Amino acid sequence: MDYKIRGTNILGIEVIVTKENWNIEELKKFLIEKKAILKRIRLIITFDDIIPEEKEIKEVANFCSQLPEVFFSGFKTNKKETRDLCVSAGFPCDMSKLELEKQTERASTEEIKFIKKTVRSGEKVSSSGDIAILGDVNPGAEVEAGGNVYIFGSLRGLVKAGIGKKECEVRALFVQTPRMEICGREKIFERNEKFLNFRLIYKNDKIKVLAMERSKNGR
């Protein structure tokens, strides 16, 4: 069973649950399958036009809270009854006009685009939403995203992330690139500058670089 996922304005990921795919066991399987992209990310479960039972809400919340290195942030819904049940069960839940959102910034077309290969020199990958690359981005390759970019490999090419957005992040396991663009701002790196477990954040009009290890003398 498939579930839609998309980036959020709080640098997290929403998993959209609808009447057609509402099945707790299938949802658990899906979250386990996507655990790599959910790692160290804020996770929100969104109930679209459904009203689960309170015990089901608790079961989903408890499961999400136990996922390793996943920051479960609560629920979201367009049904007041569902919000009341979530709050009654002790979990945060935001009200949302989902149809309105689909027509604006967080459109349904802005789901995470998964690229299950290395992006090679001369290739370009684009999406209006988030992009997750299960491979490397080689020199001469380009990644262009309206949302966040997650690279589960080495980044040596060009990334343009957060196009038209006010907040965004880029993550990669290893980075050696001369420059990136994030939310319309350019970040220049020194020659031979290298990073492990890299994270570039743009928020409040500022660019911040986080990395487990940073060097100028090799990987």
Side-chain angles (χ1 to χ4, degrees), residues 36-212:
I37 193 65
L38 297 174
K39 188 175 181 180
R40 297 181 182 177
I41 291 290
R42 298 183 68 174
L43 170 65
I44 296 172
I45 303 296
T46 297
F47 292 121
D48 188 358
D49 278 335
I50 60 175
I51 305 174
E53 296 180 12
E54 185 171 328
K55 64 179 182 180
E56 293 175 321
I57 292 171
K58 290 181 178 180
E59 184 175 350
V60 172
N62 290 334
F63 179 82
C64 292
S65 299
Q66 293 172 12
L67 289 170
E69 296 188 87
V70 174
F71 307 133
F72 176 60
S73 299
F75 298 98
K76 185 175 174 183
T77 184
N78 59 342
K79 292 287 186 180
K80 184 179 183 301
E81 298 91 334
T82 301
R83 181 184 182 278
D84 291 344
L85 285 170
C86 290
V87 173
S88 176
F91 303 104
C93 183
D94 292 331
M95 288 296 295
S96 170
K97 296 180 180 178
L98 292 175
E99 289 305 316
L100 178 62
E101 290 184 351
K102 291 174 183 177
Q103 299 172 19
T104 55
E105 182 181 9
R106 297 167 62 195
S108 59
T109 55
E110 292 190 357
E111 298 174 33
I112 292 180
K113 181 175 184 178
F114 287 91
I115 308 297
K116 298 179 181 179
K117 66 169 189 173
T118 290
V119 185
R120 304 192 181 282
S121 179
E123 293 184 326
K124 181 177 180 179
V125 174
S126 301
S127 174
S128 61
D130 295 353
I131 294 179
I133 297 174
L134 308 182
D136 299 334
V137 177
N138 287 347
E142 184 174 341
V143 178
E144 188 175 78
N148 305 319
V149 174
Y150 309 103
I151 300 169
F152 296 89
S154 298
L155 168 59
R156 291 185 170 91
L158 173 63
V159 165
K160 297 179 181 179
I163 298 171
K165 300 294 193 306
K166 296 180 179 180
E167 294 184 6
C168 185
E169 71 172 356
V170 177
R171 295 189 183 208
L173 297 183
F174 172 78
V175 169
Q176 184 182 13
T177 184
R179 70 183 185 92
M180 294 184 200
E181 293 181 21
I182 185 166
C183 297
R185 296 276 297 275
E186 186 175 54
K187 173 64 179 176
I188 303 295
F189 298 96
E190 295 182 25
R191 187 175 181 179
N192 295 327
E193 195 170 17
K194 302 173 184 180
F195 304 87
L196 291 177
N197 291 338
F198 173 89
R199 187 181 183 193
L200 180 72
I201 304 171
Y202 184 83
K203 188 175 183 180
N204 298 327
D205 297 323
K206 294 181 180 179
I207 295 177
K208 186 175 183 179
V209 175
L210 301 174
M212 181 177 291

